Amino acid sequence: MLNTRSSNLATLNLALQGGGAHGAFTWGVLDALLEDGRFAFEGVSGTSAGAMNAACLAQGLMAGGRDGARAALADFWTAVAKSSPFDQGTTAAPLSPALKMMLQWTEHLSPEQLNPLDLNPLRDIISRQIDFARLRRQCPVKLFIAATHANSGKLRIFKNHEMSVDALLASACLPTIHRTVVIDGEPYWDGGYSANPAVFPLFYECRSSDILLILLTPLRYSETPESAQDIRLRLRELAFNSTFLREMRMYAHLREQVGDSWLPKWLPLNRFEQRISRLRFHAISADALLGALPAESKLTVDLAFFEALRDDGREHARAWLAERGAAVGRQSTLDLAKLFY
C-alpha cells in the first residue's frame, strides 16, 4: 500500500453514501478536499455511487496523486453521462419518456427479460478507467466497499485485495434494474440494503480517529409524502438509510456510556473505550438541496446535472473547510447525540 500519510497533514477517514446520480455531489466534495490539500486519507468506505467515487479516488491517487484523483473523478462522471442510451433529462424533468417507460416495465419484467444481452455501460466504464490488478497491490487507501448478500441480507465488505469490477457493480446493483452480481458463487445486490455506508470498518481497521461522513440522504425531510408513488419512493429511501442511522446511534450510545461510566475516573479506560472516546465525527451534507430534488432524479444521466451537483458539493465542502476544517484531529464537529435524542 502506498503511504498517503504525512506528518504535515491531518488524516481523515471517509464514509461515502450512495444515491445514484446524487453521487455527483460527493464528486464535488472530494474535488474540493483534494484541491484544499490539508488532509491525507486513510480509509474510504463507500456504497453504490459512494463505492464508485471511492474507487475512482483510490485509482487517481495511485496513478497521479491529488491531481490524478480529481481527474479520475471527473473522467468517471463524464463517461457515465455520455453512456446513456436515452435522451438527456433536465433538473425539472429529470427522466426522459423512454427511461420512464423502462422503469415502469421493471415492475413487471425481470432484468434478464428487460436486458437479455446483459448490457451494462457502467461495467465498461470502470473496466476502462480502473486498474484493478494494480489497485489490489498498491491501493493508497484502505477501501471498504459494501454489498448485500441477496439470499441472506448480510453485509459483505470487499477490501483492497478483493477489488474488482464485479465488487463495484455488486455495490450498485439495484435488483429491479440490474442482474444479480455473482461473486465466488454468491449473489449480491446493492450495498444500501445493508449499509449506506458501513462506518465500522473505519473504526476497527484504521488508525485515524476522524471520520468524515458525506451524506446524500437527508436526515430529515421537510414534507410528508401523500401520493402512492411518493410514499413508495420515501419507503425505499428510509430503508436505505435505516442501517446507517442504527449504526450511528450505536456510536452515540457508546460514547455516552464511556462518558457516563460509573467507574472511578482514576481507573484507566480499556483499549476499546479509549478508541471510542477519541472518535471524532464530521459531516458534509445538503439536506435542503438534495431533499428538494425529486427522488427519480437519482436516475438522471446528464452531464449538466452532474456538474451542477458537483459545484454544489464543492461549495458545501469549502464552507465546511472554512468553518470546521481546523477542528479535524482535535474535536468532533458533528454532535451525534443531537441527531438521535
Side-chain angles (χ1 to χ4, degrees):
M1 179 182 297
L2 298 178
N3 182 14
T4 60
R5 298 172 64 89
S6 169
S7 59
N8 297 322
L9 300 178
T11 304
L12 275 175
N13 295 316
L14 302 174
L16 312 182
Q17 276 196 335
H22 294 183
F25 176 87
T26 301
W27 165 25
V29 171
L30 295 176
D31 188 72
L33 293 175
L34 290 161
E35 180 184 50
D36 181 78
R38 77 180 78 172
F39 302 117
F41 307 115
E42 182 182 3
V44 186
S45 178
T47 296
S48 198
M52 302 299 165
N53 281 320
C56 290
L57 173 68
Q59 169 68 30
L61 288 172
M62 180 178 67
R66 294 178 180 275
D67 290 340
R70 297 179 70 188
L73 287 160
D75 289 346
F76 171 78
W77 286 98
T78 301
V80 171
K82 292 179 179 179
S83 71
S84 175
F86 303 105
D87 293 333
Q88 305 292 323
T90 66
T91 303
L95 298 186
S96 68
L99 183 53
K100 284 186 176 181
M101 183 177 296
M102 189 202 77
L103 292 176
Q104 291 174 352
W105 290 341
T106 64
E107 298 180 8
H108 308 285
L109 300 175
S110 70
E112 287 79 4
Q113 293 170 313
L114 281 172
N115 185 7
L117 299 179
D118 194 21
L119 302 176
N120 190 338
L122 189 57
R123 176 184 291 276
D124 298 333
I125 291 169
I126 58 180
S127 295
R128 287 195 305 268
Q129 297 194 0
I130 298 179
D131 185 345
F132 286 98
R134 184 181 173 193
L135 204 62
R136 289 190 291 270
R137 299 191 310 269
Q138 300 178 338
C139 187
V141 294
K142 299 173 183 177
L143 288 176
F144 308 100
I145 303 302
T148 303
H149 191 274
N151 291 345
S152 68
K154 292 181 180 179
L155 171 65
R156 168 71 188 275
I157 298 293
F158 293 94
K159 301 180 183 180
N160 293 31
H161 66 282
E162 302 168 302
M163 283 300 106
S164 67
V165 174
D166 283 340
L168 290 186
L169 292 179
S171 186
C173 177
L174 290 174
T176 58
I177 299 175
H178 306 116
R179 291 191 182 192
T180 298
V181 177
V182 178
I183 300 175
D184 296 331
E186 299 294 335
Y188 294 98
W189 287 347
D190 195 296
Y193 296 112
S194 54
N196 190 26
V199 178
F200 70 87
L202 303 175
F203 171 71
Y204 284 109
E205 301 193 34
C206 296
R207 289 175 291 172
S208 174
S209 296
D210 289 272
I211 298 176
L212 174 60
L213 311 169
I214 303 179
L215 306 179
L216 303 180
T217 301
L219 294 173
R220 186 178 181 87
Y221 295 89
S222 59
E223 298 181 358
T224 304
E226 296 182 354
S227 71
Q229 174 69 4
D230 288 343
I231 290 171
R232 283 195 295 270
L233 292 172
R234 177 64 60 80
L235 285 172
R236 183 186 305 168
E237 292 181 350
L238 292 178
F240 267 52
N241 215 34
S242 62
T243 53
F244 168 74
L245 291 177
R246 279 198 299 271
E247 186 177 4
M248 297 311 298
R249 182 162 188 156
M250 177 197 71
Y251 289 117
H253 181 68
L254 287 172
R255 288 170 62 86
E256 184 180 71
Q257 291 297 307
V258 170
D260 295 339
S261 175
W262 57 269
L263 294 173
K265 298 300 182 183
W266 51 264
L267 282 178
L269 299 177
N270 62 39
R271 290 183 62 186
F272 181 80
E273 291 171 332
Q274 290 175 6
R275 179 72 173 145
I276 285 290
S277 66
R278 289 197 302 264
L279 203 56
R280 295 180 290 270
F281 282 102
H282 315 274
I284 297 176
S285 60
D287 283 17
L289 169 72
L290 298 178
L293 292 174
E296 64 182 16
S297 67
K298 293 181 180 181
L299 298 176
T300 301
V301 183
D302 173 62
L303 185 57
F305 183 61
F306 292 165
E307 290 177 339
L309 286 174
R310 175 205 61 192
D311 293 344
D312 287 325
R314 285 175 58 84
E315 181 180 341
H316 280 74
R318 286 171 172 169
W320 179 84
L321 286 164
E323 297 171 10
R324 301 177 178 180
V328 174
R330 299 189 297 109
Q331 64 185 46
S332 291
T333 58
L334 176 66
D335 189 343
L336 296 183
K338 289 183 179 179
L339 294 179
F340 303 107
Y341 301 110

